[in-house]
Amino acid sequence: PIPSGFKTFVAQTDGKKQRMKLEIVPSEAAVVQQIFDWAEQGRGGRWIVKTLNDRCVTLRGARFTNGNLADTLGRKINTGIY
């Protein structure tokens, strides 16, 4: 799956094979940054999920859950490591 805050694009085509790379989606990246800021402040996962859902913020059209929040916080690429 493509990490939150990113989309893929074709960086290179080798014959029939397309080489994909990640590109930042600014609107999603802002949400990811807010999630990390709240987590750093000590806010719990349930609080973050409830706040995002109360504000009608979605993850690619879907409501936030504890599972997709944990996935977002657990991905190394979201911390700047790739």
Side-chain angles (χ1 to χ4, degrees):
I2 301 167
S4 302
F6 294 91
K7 67 179 180 179
T8 58
F9 70 96
V10 178
Q12 182 180 355
T13 303
D14 297 328
K16 292 182 180 180
K17 187 170 187 171
Q18 294 182 331
R19 308 264 179 204
M20 307 298 282
K21 288 203 174 188
L22 294 174
E23 179 179 347
I24 294 174
V25 177
S27 59
E28 287 185 17
V31 174
V32 171
Q33 181 63 55
Q34 182 66 72
I35 289 169
F36 274 88
D37 288 347
W38 283 332
E40 187 175 73
Q41 293 169 11
R43 299 289 188 176
R46 286 189 295 188
W47 184 90
I48 294 172
V49 168
K50 182 179 182 328
T51 301
L52 291 169
N53 288 332
D54 287 350
R55 294 180 180 183
C56 298
V57 177
T58 62
L59 178 66
R60 298 185 182 138
R63 291 175 53 87
F64 274 87
T65 65
N66 289 334
N68 58 30
L69 176 69
D71 181 58
T72 298
L73 289 170
R75 285 189 181 256
K76 286 184 180 182
I77 194 163
N78 287 339
T79 64
I81 298 171
Y82 53 94

